Amino acid sequence: MKKILSVVIITLLSFVWVNGLNAQTLEEAATKYNAAAELSKTDLSGAYEQLKDVYQMCRTIGSEADELKSIVVKLLPTWKYNVANNYVREKDYASAINQFAELANDTILNADADLKEKAVNQLVKLLFVQGNSQFRSDQNEEAIKTFDKALEYDSTYAVAYLMKGQAYRKINDEANMMVSYENAKKFAEITGDEKTLDNANLLISATYLSEANSAYKDNDYTTAYEKSKVAAEVKNDNVEAFYMLAISSNLLNKYDDAISAAQRGAELSGEELSKTARFNFELAKAYEAKGDTNNACSFYKKSFYGPFEEAAKHKVNIELKCN
């Protein structure tokens, strides 16, 4: 700082004989600059505002103040970034967002690329936090707008798409919900965001499964089959998707699909009969329809549990007369 000040003073002295009026003005600018530098130790926000005044003074003075102006121009972006970070530390997120946005959008300050990138990254994260807060408070329309603002600065921010989809879900806008989930999946794959990718797949799969269940209740087994198949493809550990796929496949005489789905569902369910019986029952039905009595008997016997037990025993003892 002393070196900078000495340069300013030398510059002042070199011009004092040329134009007394301008020298006085330049001296005032230098004095205000030094005052801002001192104030920055205790009040960076106030110091930044003073530094902006120095910048305007230098512009008014003209070429005589170019050296001081170049110093100020280099300092302004850094000080602004630090002011914004101070607001973050104080949990004044609204002010921090405004400061980072100004820095990210400002072409006058000529911040270097790295500093602008850091400002944008901070801005996107803060907008996401703000959107999440609005979402938790059921301010879903506001949350969507805030997530959109974050995406204006970083269109690849996958988790913002995910939460935007959640906000659309809460206002029953299923079309935009699915678009947002698909974008979350797309950009999570591009950026390597495994957590968001997994969550996006989970939500997409759950949505298709819900549609499959509704179709099944309406006896629309074709739609139930198609939707549950997508749900299982998107999330290959979605046990309920595989169960619905097995049921609807059997109802549509797609027995190989039923067997494949039921085998995967049983594999995911573990060893307990209470969890595998329903899949074994669908396997038995598919094998019976294919004329494979041995496998049908085997899986009916593995279905002796709960709501499947009576029907399975009837198949084993009466209809198929299994050994």
Side-chain angles (χ1 to χ4, degrees), residues 141 144 164-181 207:
E141 288 83 359
I144 290 167
K164 185 179 169 184
Q166 289 285 66
Y168 275 125
R169 179 184 61 80
K170 288 175 73 173
I171 60 175
N172 299 315
D173 186 343
E174 293 187 4
N176 279 314
M177 175 192 75
M178 283 302 288
V179 169
S180 298
Y181 288 162
T207 301

Side-chain angles (χ1 to χ4, degrees), residues 273 276-278 280-281 297-305 312:
L273 181 61
T276 60
R278 58 178 179 165
N280 293 333
F281 193 75
C297 286
S298 175
F299 283 105
Y300 277 130
K301 288 176 181 178
K302 294 176 182 178
S303 307
F304 291 177
Y305 178 83

Side-chain angles (χ1 to χ4, degrees), residues 204-215 227-228 231 238-242 244-245:
I204 292 169
S205 181
T207 301
Y208 278 109
L209 178 58
S210 176
E211 293 172 355
N213 286 332
S214 296
K227 297 290 186 179
S228 60
N238 187 337
V239 176
E240 298 306 320
F242 283 104
M244 177 53 65
L245 182 56

Side-chain angles (χ1 to χ4, degrees), residues 36-219:
E38 185 63 28
L39 183 61
S40 69
K41 299 174 184 177
T42 55
D43 179 9
L44 187 58
S45 181
Y48 173 77
E49 293 302 319
Q50 286 195 20
L51 197 63
K52 285 200 302 182
D53 291 341
V54 176
Y55 173 74
Q56 292 302 329
M57 291 171 72
C58 289
R59 291 186 65 191
T60 301
I61 294 166
S63 60
E64 297 173 16
D66 281 351
E67 192 167 1
L68 177 58
K69 187 171 72 172
S70 68
I71 296 169
V72 172
V73 166
K74 289 179 182 178
L75 282 177
L76 276 169
T78 303
W79 282 18
K80 189 170 191 66
Y81 183 83
N82 291 335
V83 166
N85 268 335
N86 285 344
Y87 281 125
V88 173
R89 284 189 283 271
E90 295 166 3
K91 301 189 186 305
D92 184 352
Y93 300 124
S95 295
I97 286 171
N98 288 336
Q99 293 294 321
F100 282 126
E102 286 180 14
L103 182 55
N105 297 325
D106 200 335
T107 57
I108 296 174
L109 295 181
N110 293 319
D112 63 53
D114 288 342
L115 188 62
K116 277 203 171 186
E117 183 179 356
K118 287 168 64 177
V120 167
N121 289 340
Q122 289 284 67
L123 177 59
V124 169
K125 290 175 183 177
L126 288 171
L127 285 168
F128 179 75
V129 169
Q130 185 182 63
N132 256 345
S133 178
Q134 291 166 333
F135 172 77
R136 288 193 298 270
S137 301
D138 283 329
Q139 297 173 286
N140 296 297
E141 288 83 359
E142 290 81 356
I144 290 167
K145 291 177 183 177
T146 302
F147 291 132
D148 278 337
K149 285 181 184 177
L151 291 166
E152 286 177 12
Y153 290 98
D154 183 358
S155 61
T156 68
Y157 197 39
V159 71
Y161 287 110
L162 189 73
M163 290 308 302
K164 185 179 169 184
Q166 289 285 66
Y168 275 125
R169 179 184 61 80
K170 288 175 73 173
I171 60 175
N172 299 315
D173 186 343
E174 293 187 4
N176 279 314
M177 175 192 75
M178 283 302 288
V179 169
S180 298
Y181 288 162
E182 292 291 352
N183 277 327
K185 176 184 172 77
K186 171 185 172 181
F187 288 109
E189 288 174 339
I190 291 172
T191 60
D193 184 349
E194 294 296 332
K195 181 178 180 181
T196 298
L197 177 59
D198 189 57
N199 286 332
N201 283 334
L202 177 63
L203 291 168
I204 292 169
S205 181
T207 301
Y208 278 109
L209 178 58
S210 176
E211 293 172 355
N213 286 332
S214 296
Y216 176 78
K217 291 177 182 177
D218 293 336
N219 299 320

Side-chain angles (χ1 to χ4, degrees), residues 247-320:
I247 294 173
S248 56
S249 294
N250 268 332
L251 289 167
L252 293 172
N253 303 326
K254 297 177 181 289
Y255 303 120
D256 289 335
D257 285 354
I259 290 169
S260 178
Q263 285 175 335
R264 177 59 177 161
E267 177 187 339
L268 291 168
S269 297
E271 300 295 329
E272 294 181 27
L273 181 61
S274 61
K275 295 179 180 178
T276 60
R278 58 178 179 165
F279 290 106
N280 293 333
F281 193 75
E282 294 303 320
L283 280 165
K285 286 165 61 177
Y287 280 120
E288 181 184 6
K290 286 170 64 73
D292 186 343
T293 303
N294 286 335
N295 270 320
C297 286
S298 175
F299 283 105
Y300 277 130
K301 288 176 181 178
K302 294 176 182 178
S303 307
F304 291 177
Y305 178 83
F308 309 101
E309 184 170 5
E310 184 177 351
K313 285 184 175 179
H314 188 271
K315 287 286 185 179
V316 168
N317 299 322
I318 307 300
E319 294 187 37
L320 299 180

